[in-house]
């Protein structure tokens, strides 16, 4: 299938990334381009994007037609991403800023306008360059107005026949703004109704996207079920049940060029299942870099995460002192997010030197080093649509300790003391007690049943997290969406 696919996304690694969305968009695009599709990723050129020699101006007179008769001039840069092409939208009024969504803990107040602009600019770029995709693949709320535009203002344009696929990466963030943003986006105000873009008197961009797209995917089968329930549906579970027949959960794949212990240039030594000696060197280097006591015997529990309530690391902050006082373990954390959590982990680092070490910030190199140098990897998420870090950790031989939710259920197999099978430690309740007990279980397994730890490592490292099967499923969704759209649905 040689399709033309336009991704619209607020993040695309390595140009921009706040979390796994940036990794996923880039890896799926590379994968489809390798398979012969023509894939372009339309994404903003933020101030933080490193301008490399490979980046070339592709168009410098893009007219972006917003509502209210407003027309803006913008530029588009092109950069190769494997065999795909990233199209980076330069429009300084909105994107020449250090953050993607926020800065110093506060969301940019004009995020509605910024991402409505990204959607319209992407579609105007297609119209003006004459490149008409078969599928417009929209990622999360920021791209939510694209399917709405395709169904309304652009329905009679050359883009009117394009199918749209909307991927939910995280239902918690829906893009809720004043209805004026809808007018600014150039969407007819008749769409400001509860079965399209309106929710509780405001514009809800995610809702608009979910109502108007041809097909919906989310990033794991378990999360696809969870979001149809009030507990995980963030107010949109009714809509997701209504569109249930069009909603599919497909597990994200991993970019094995970027994440692979055999070839990773960011870690102290490379290793593989055949020769694990490099892993011990990575642990030693991590303990040194993070100021933890040098010891191969003490298990290191790693964390690389955004520090928001979704991730449940507030539970860890509450029990960390007790953990390291009662168990001979170390904690190596890299993260940033809510100020109180950052502060709590910094205070713990000062109070328990050699045992707890937190680095507050965003650091891709250290993220790789923690995956490689740790023995266990903590993800006590309250919800987790897919989660990439637990897959990275298994590939790097670090055993995940996770809450049973979303993609964590679909990727981590529970350890059995009876047989030694499994590749991680799972628990159900999002409580301090459950997390404490499960870390205790991992710790006792480390000290008392080292043979099982070895076995689990091997089992995790042998798993296939590549895009293989998932890309086949996306290909089916794309075909399904194109068939539906061409039948006028
Ligand atoms: P989410 O997208 O919800 O944050 P994922 O597990 O899907 O969770 O992906 C997180 C991605 O972001 C991983 O690639 C992880 O390494 C990276 N990441 C998260 N926090 C940091 C950080 N502080 N520094 C470097 N990388 C980070
Ligand atoms: C979101 C989710 C995460 C998922 C990522 C990529 O950020 O929180 O679970 O892995 O998107 O799809």
């Amino acid at each position: 299938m040689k399709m033309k696919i336009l991704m619209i996304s607020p993040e695309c690694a390595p140009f921009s990334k706040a979390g796994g969305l940036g990794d996923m968009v880039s890896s799926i695009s590379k994968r489809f381009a390798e398979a012969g599709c023509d894939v372009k990723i339309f994404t903003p050129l933020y101030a933080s994007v490193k301008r490399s020699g490979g980046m070339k101006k592709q168009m410098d007179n893009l007219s972006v037609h917003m509502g209210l008769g407003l027309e803006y001039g913008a530029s588009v840069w092109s950069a190769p991403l494997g065999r795909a092409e990233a199209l980076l939208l330069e429009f300084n009024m909105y994107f020449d800023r250090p953050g993607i969504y926020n800065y110093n803990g506060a969301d940019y107040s004009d995020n509605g306008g910024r991402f409505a602009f990204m959607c319209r600019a992407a579609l105007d770029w297609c119209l003006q360059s004459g490149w008409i995709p078969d599928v417009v693949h929209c990622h999360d709320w920021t791209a939510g107005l694209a399917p709405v535009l395709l169904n309304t203002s652009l329905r009679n344009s050359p883009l009117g026949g394009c199918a749209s696929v909307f991927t939910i990466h995280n239902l918690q963030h829906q893009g809720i703004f004043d209805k004026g943003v809808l007018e600014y986006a150039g969407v007819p105000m008749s769409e400001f109704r509860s079965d399209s873009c309106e929710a509780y008197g405001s514009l809800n961009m995610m809702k608009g996207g979910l109502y108007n797209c041809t097909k919906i995917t989310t990033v794991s089968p378990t999360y696809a079920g969870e979001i149809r329930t009030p507990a995980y549906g963030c107010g949109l579970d009714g809509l997701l049940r209504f569109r249930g027949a069009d909603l599919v959960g497909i597990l994200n794949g991993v970019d094995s060029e970027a994440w692979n212990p055999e070839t990773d240039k960011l870690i102290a030594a490379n290793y593989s299942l055949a020769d694990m000696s490099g892993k011990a060197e990575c642990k030693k280097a991590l303990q040194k870099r993070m100021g933890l006591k040098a010891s191969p015997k003490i298990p290191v529990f790693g964390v690389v995460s955004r520090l928001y309530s979704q991730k449940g690391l507030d539970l860890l902050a509450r029990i960390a002192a007790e953990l390291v006082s009662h168990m001979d373990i170390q904690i190596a954390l890299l993260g940033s997010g809510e100020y109180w959590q950052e502060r709590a982990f910094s205070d713990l680092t000062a109070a328990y030197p050699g045992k707890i070490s937190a680095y507050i910030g965003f650091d891709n190199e250290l993220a790789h080093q923690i995956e490689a140098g740790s023995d266990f990897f903590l993800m006590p998420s309250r919800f987790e649509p897919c989660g990439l870090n637990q897959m990275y950790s298994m590939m790097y031989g670090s055993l995940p300790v996770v809450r049973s939710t979303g993609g964590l259920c679909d990727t981590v197999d529970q350890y059995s003391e009876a047989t030694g099978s499994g590749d991680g430690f799972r628990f159900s309740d999002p409580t301090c007690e459950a997390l404490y007990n499960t870390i205790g279980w991992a710790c006792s397994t480390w000290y008392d049943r080292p043979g099982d730890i070895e076995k689990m490592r091997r089992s995790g490292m042998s798993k296939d997290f590549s895009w293989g099967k998932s890309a086949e499923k996306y290909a089916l969704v794309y075909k399904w969406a194109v068939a539906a759209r061409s039948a006028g649905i």
Side-chain angles (χ1 to χ4, degrees):
M1 183 193 56
K2 310 289 179 219
M3 285 192 162
K4 284 177 163 176
I5 304 161
L6 175 74
M7 304 278 172
I8 305 183
S9 172
E11 300 175 31
C12 177
F15 308 107
S16 57
K17 163 171 164 181
L21 169 63
D23 287 348
M24 185 278 189
V25 168
S26 136
S27 59
I28 190 177
S29 302
K30 289 201 255 180
R31 175 70 192 216
F32 272 91
E34 249 162 50
C37 294
D38 186 356
V39 186
K40 302 193 191 295
I41 308 113
F42 201 90
T43 190
L45 181 65
Y46 304 103
S48 49
V49 174
K50 284 199 187 82
R51 323 273 162 130
S52 69
M55 210 179 265
K56 294 198 172 57
K57 176 112 19 125
Q58 195 273 341
M59 192 188 273
D60 65 3
N61 54 353
L62 173 68
S63 320
V64 185
H65 300 272
M66 303 303 288
L68 306 159
L70 293 164
E71 195 180 326
Y72 297 95
S75 299
V76 175
W77 292 75
S78 159
L81 187 68
R83 293 183 178 207
E85 180 184 18
L87 294 169
L88 297 131
L89 170 66
E90 182 179 29
F91 187 68
N92 291 345
M93 180 174 104
Y94 281 147
F95 303 118
D96 188 23
R97 304 180 190 183
I100 298 179
Y101 312 101
N102 47 41
Y103 187 59
N104 268 347
D107 280 350
Y108 293 124
S109 59
D110 56 352
N111 271 348
R114 294 172 78 222
F115 292 107
F117 188 87
M118 173 185 79
C119 291
R120 184 65 208 222
L123 301 175
D124 276 333
W125 179 86
C126 292
L127 290 171
Q128 287 162 46
S129 59
W131 188 84
I132 304 300
D134 299 298
V135 177
V136 179
H137 189 162
C138 306
H139 296 270
D140 263 359
W141 70 266
T142 55
L145 290 184
V148 187
L149 286 163
L150 290 174
N151 273 357
T152 56
S153 320
L154 299 175
R155 187 65 168 148
N156 295 320
S157 78
L159 288 172
C162 296
S164 55
V165 172
F166 186 96
T167 294
I168 303 169
H169 292 264
N170 190 331
L171 201 59
Q172 190 177 46
H173 305 289
Q174 298 180 3
I176 297 170
F177 302 101
D178 184 84
K179 67 176 177 194
V181 173
L182 197 63
E183 203 172 5
Y184 174 65
V187 171
M189 287 314 279
S190 53
E191 293 304 309
F192 191 68
R193 48 172 216 271
S194 64
D195 59 349
S196 187
C197 297
E198 185 268 347
Y200 303 104
S202 294
L203 161 65
N204 184 318
M205 290 195 185
M206 173 81 95
K207 187 177 180 187
L210 291 172
Y211 258 112
N212 285 278
C213 66
T214 323
K215 298 292 170 193
I216 306 170
T217 70
T218 188
V219 289
S220 70
T222 297
Y223 192 60
E226 287 174 340
I227 54 179
R228 295 174 213 220
T229 68
Y232 290 90
C234 301
L236 296 181
D237 47 294
L239 158 55
L240 292 165
R241 287 193 298 276
F242 172 69
R243 291 221 58 190
D246 293 317
L247 164 62
V248 188
I250 305 175
L251 207 59
N252 287 335
V254 163
D255 180 348
S256 53
E257 267 173 39
W259 296 91
N260 181 352
E262 281 184 59
T263 52
D264 194 329
K265 295 206 166 52
L266 304 175
I267 59 178
N270 293 118
Y271 58 92
S272 67
L273 259 180
D275 177 6
M276 289 292 282
S277 54
K279 173 108 185 145
E281 272 183 62
C282 290
K283 177 168 175 178
K284 196 169 161 196
L286 179 69
Q287 285 174 322
K288 185 160 181 233
R289 174 163 180 187
M290 296 205 68
L292 294 164
K293 188 179 159 196
S295 162
K297 290 200 184 115
I298 306 174
V300 176
F301 286 73
V303 178
V304 179
S305 188
R306 296 183 292 115
L307 299 175
Y308 291 99
S309 76
Q310 171 191 349
K311 300 294 177 182
L313 289 160
D314 50 306
L315 304 174
L316 179 67
R318 291 191 173 93
I319 60 169
E322 210 179 322
L323 275 172
V324 296
S325 307
H326 291 99
M327 300 177 201
D328 203 4
I329 65 169
Q330 298 178 346
I331 298 173
L333 176 142
L334 165 64
S336 60
E338 281 170 12
Y339 177 70
W340 84 262
Q341 288 199 44
E342 293 184 352
R343 187 62 203 267
F345 284 113
S346 300
D347 289 351
L348 283 160
T349 304
Y352 297 92
K355 293 186 167 187
I356 301 179
S357 176
Y359 178 88
I360 303 303
F362 196 94
D363 183 330
N364 185 47
E365 185 183 274
L366 184 55
H368 284 247
Q369 293 169 354
I370 292 180
E371 300 283 4
S374 59
D375 300 296
F376 297 95
F377 197 89
L378 296 173
M379 289 181 77
S381 308
R382 291 196 167 80
F383 69 94
E384 194 61 75
C386 176
L388 295 172
N389 271 320
Q390 81 283 9
M391 298 195 253
Y392 300 156
S393 77
M394 283 186 267
M395 293 167 71
Y396 281 72
S398 172
L399 304 180
V401 176
V402 304
R403 184 167 167 256
S404 291
T405 183
L408 299 173
C409 290
D410 298 330
T411 50
V412 179
D413 290 321
Q414 180 71 299
Y415 165 53
S416 155
E417 266 186 54
T419 62
S421 65
D423 43 43
F425 298 82
R426 286 171 41 176
F427 62 98
S428 299
D429 297 336
T431 59
C432 288
E433 199 184 5
L435 178 61
Y436 187 94
N437 289 338
T438 312
I439 293 175
W441 186 26
C443 177
S444 64
T445 307
W446 172 268
Y447 285 110
D448 301 338
R449 293 178 295 281
D452 284 0
I453 295 282
E454 259 332 290
K455 199 168 163 195
M456 290 168 82
R457 263 193 182 153
R458 291 188 169 271
S459 143
M461 288 179 79
S462 315
K463 271 186 168 169
D464 178 12
F465 293 117
S466 69
W467 267 103
K469 284 202 186 97
S470 298
E472 279 170 25
K473 289 182 187 162
Y474 267 103
L476 286 175
V477 171
Y478 289 156
K479 279 192 202 157
W480 183 33
V482 168
R485 191 70 172 179
S486 51
I489 297 169

